[in-house]
Amino acid sequence: MLTDKILKLKKEKDVVILAHNYQLPEVQDVADFVGDSLGLSRQAAKTPHKTILFCGVHFMAETAAIICPDKKVLIPDLSAGCSLSDSITISQLKEWKKSHPGAITVGYVNTTAEIKSELDYCCTSSNAVNVVKSIPKDKDVLFLPDMFLGSYVAKMTGRKNMYIWAGECHVHAGIRSDDIQKQLDSYANSELLIHPECSCTSQIMYDVAVGDYSNRQVQILSTEGMMNYAKQSTAKNFVVATETGILYRMQQQNPDKNFIPASKGAVCQYMKMITLDKVYASLFEEKYEVIVPKQIADKARVAIERMLAIS
């Protein structure tokens, strides 16, 4: 069986397999650690293994390579990209910074290594609010590339001097308020877990504030935040507004609870490009290595280390 071959080979070759929450179930099953971007970055930083096989999208493997310059980082498919990461180029960022001299630049981890090398801070959805809160209030902030996460952070921090890049994740942008409401109506006493990259986050925050959700629990959380919340909540039904891959792990950890996708179409084709066959081939042939040029990696590492230092 392919799963057994992978488990045997990773031991023989001293390889740790990291997989994002959005990966295919069978890929999650062979991983040593499954989690969100921040959790996997932390695992990469502390792993004793010589090689990291990253089952995620390209920017995640780049981040691991930057954090662990002494390790080999492999990705099973080099073309596993990210629509959000593609929404800003290095020339666009440099121009934006020029037009706001003295501003502090905060970039979501969903960006290329080249973009990260131009940032003051990196962040993930789980610590974006705290990263921005740590910046002096009199400093302008450029937040990129996700406009929905940026809007959420601006509201949560109350910061008026925050400029937000107009990028989006095509999967989260496609989850609509109507989709969510239909699912909530179908399941009595269900709680809503929503990722801040969703296009309807701001609208839902407003709706909650004016009482439209009555006494229903609504939590705006990172994927790992969703995992933790689902474990400790006494609710039995959860409508989950993020990429559908997370439902597998949620169900595994909470077999007595029911997890409903806000939108069945919320599937990232890039995350699903990594298959068990590709994982085995990557292990067996030690391909494809992700290498970040030293000059870019050294600059990007500063922003990433600041991200890892802020919970």
Side-chain angles (χ1 to χ4, degrees), residues 10-307:
K10 75 175 180 180
K11 273 190 183 173
E12 286 173 5
K13 294 200 169 196
D14 189 32
V15 177
V16 64
I17 300 180
L18 306 181
H20 193 271
N21 285 319
Y22 299 158
Q23 289 290 295
L24 292 167
E26 58 268 30
V27 173
Q28 293 188 37
D29 285 344
V30 297
D32 298 287
F33 300 99
V34 181
D36 64 0
S37 310
L38 185 60
L40 295 178
S41 295
R42 289 192 166 129
Q43 288 296 343
K46 69 184 186 185
T47 184
H49 297 79
K50 294 172 192 166
T51 303
I52 296 167
L53 178 61
F54 214 114
C55 299
V57 291
H58 196 267
F59 76 79
M60 296 178 180
E62 276 189 332
T63 303
I66 292 163
I67 295 168
C68 312
D70 56 330
K71 298 183 190 301
K72 181 187 277 191
V73 177
L74 305 173
I75 189 168
D77 191 326
L78 276 173
S79 53
C82 171
S83 61
L84 180 55
S85 179
D86 289 344
S87 67
I88 187 165
T89 65
I90 193 68
S91 57
Q92 287 173 324
L93 176 53
K94 285 179 176 176
E95 282 301 310
W96 200 32
K97 285 173 71 173
K98 265 190 212 169
S99 63
H100 296 277
I104 302 295
T105 313
V106 179
Y108 198 21
V109 74
N110 299 44
T111 46
T112 64
E114 200 175 25
I115 294 289
K116 287 184 179 77
S117 72
E118 284 289 324
L119 301 176
D120 294 300
Y121 289 88
C122 225
C123 72
T124 69
S125 54
S126 56
N127 74 351
V129 170
N130 286 341
V131 167
V132 171
K133 275 183 178 174
S134 75
I135 296 165
K137 288 193 170 113
D138 61 333
K139 289 281 189 184
D140 286 353
V141 172
L142 304 184
F143 189 94
L144 63 110
D146 189 271
M147 59 182 168
F148 304 117
L149 178 61
S151 172
Y152 169 71
V153 170
K155 280 188 169 64
M156 293 301 288
T157 58
R159 192 179 277 268
K160 305 296 180 201
N161 55 347
M162 190 164 149
Y163 301 87
I164 300 164
W165 189 259
E168 64 178 30
C169 158
H170 72 287
V171 175
H172 285 104
I175 299 174
R176 307 292 180 195
S177 294
D178 288 352
D179 299 329
I180 291 170
Q181 201 58 60
K182 275 178 197 164
Q183 296 291 43
L184 289 173
D185 291 344
S186 300
Y187 292 87
N189 306 315
S190 55
E191 295 193 358
L192 171 61
L193 308 181
I194 182 167
H195 195 282
E197 280 180 45
C198 289
S199 59
C200 49
T201 303
S202 295
Q203 179 62 45
I204 283 170
M205 285 175 73
Y206 174 78
D207 292 344
V208 170
V210 299
D212 281 6
Y213 282 82
S214 304
N215 295 319
R216 194 189 293 278
Q217 286 292 315
V218 178
Q219 307 294 332
I220 300 172
L221 298 162
S222 68
T223 53
E224 208 56 30
M226 290 181 183
M227 294 297 308
N228 294 333
Y229 182 83
K231 274 191 277 191
Q232 58 89 23
S233 172
T234 55
K236 290 296 179 188
N237 294 320
F238 299 84
V239 172
V240 183
T242 189
E243 209 273 354
T244 58
I246 196 174
L247 299 174
Y248 175 68
R249 189 170 163 226
M250 283 182 152
Q251 201 65 70
Q252 270 191 319
Q253 292 190 3
N254 307 275
D256 58 331
K257 297 178 181 179
N258 192 24
F259 298 94
I260 306 104
S263 169
K264 286 180 181 172
V267 177
C268 175
Q269 71 265 34
Y270 297 113
M271 284 285 184
K272 305 312 187 220
M273 289 172 81
I274 294 179
T275 62
L276 268 191
D277 285 321
K278 289 177 184 176
V279 171
Y280 178 75
S282 184
L283 266 176
F284 188 74
E285 298 175 45
E286 296 186 24
K287 65 177 188 182
Y288 299 89
E289 187 172 1
V290 176
I291 297 170
V292 179
K294 188 177 185 304
Q295 188 180 1
I296 290 173
D298 288 347
K299 286 176 73 182
R301 195 173 296 114
V302 176
I304 293 168
E305 284 174 350
R306 285 174 178 162
M307 169 188 80

